[in-house]
Amino acid sequence: GMPLGGMTVRVHDALTGEWNPAVAVTDTAPDGSFVVDPVEPGLYLVEVSDPGSQYASVWSGGASWRDQADMILVGFGDAGVGDLVMPIGATLTGSVAFDGAPQLYAALRLERAADAVWLTGSHLSWDESARTFAFAPLPPGEYRLAALTHVP
């Protein structure tokens, strides 16, 4: 694929929970390369995401999801990630109705169909005038979507 500049690169501690902030963040150069500030020796996961939401995020090892990413061992020298290919992201759109009335907001849960893992990090947006939602960008795959509760 062609190099992508302006992508956001986040380095996560692989041994902490997914809700912890990244230990390092940078952007890719126009040629797609990136360098992060030195991190302590340890195990890390690297996530590359598109702030423009055209490309789906990719994790170290080319994984679509954090729980499938390859861990990278950082010692007292340089560590490399290799080339990562970002797929064009898909968009899942729709609307929610309770008792036949379209709702502006609802608590939505998007899961991977294969293993029921609740997807986090997907961009959820609402179009107030059309009363519709959109999850984007999503990597290719099968998903389940549930509206959990009514939010008045």
Side-chain angles (χ1 to χ4, degrees), residues 92 108-119 135 138 141-147:
L92 174 65
L108 299 177
R109 179 179 172 129
L110 184 64
E111 300 176 342
R112 293 190 307 223
D115 56 12
V117 169
W118 188 359
L119 303 182
F135 282 96
L138 294 171
E142 293 183 19
Y143 300 92
R144 270 193 300 266
L145 177 67

Side-chain angles (χ1 to χ4, degrees), residues 9-34:
V9 179
R10 290 180 183 85
V11 178
H12 301 272
D13 185 326
L15 302 179
T16 61
E18 67 182 283
W19 300 109
N20 290 331
V23 297
V25 179
T26 191
D27 291 329
T28 59
D31 67 358
S33 66
F34 64 91

Side-chain angles (χ1 to χ4, degrees), residues 64-133:
S64 296
W65 308 107
R66 179 187 172 109
D67 65 338
Q68 299 168 341
D70 290 347
M71 288 188 271
I72 297 169
L73 176 62
V74 175
F76 290 100
D78 292 336
V81 175
D83 291 338
L84 298 174
V85 177
M86 298 180 73
I88 298 286
T91 302
L92 174 65
T93 61
S95 60
V96 177
F98 288 98
D99 297 327
Q103 301 297 305
L104 179 55
Y105 297 103
L108 299 177
R109 179 179 172 129
L110 184 64
E111 300 176 342
R112 293 190 307 223
D115 56 12
V117 169
W118 188 359
L119 303 182
T120 59
S122 298
H123 302 285
L124 171 62
S125 61
W126 289 91
D127 180 334
E128 293 183 18
S129 62
R131 294 189 176 254
T132 59
F133 66 86

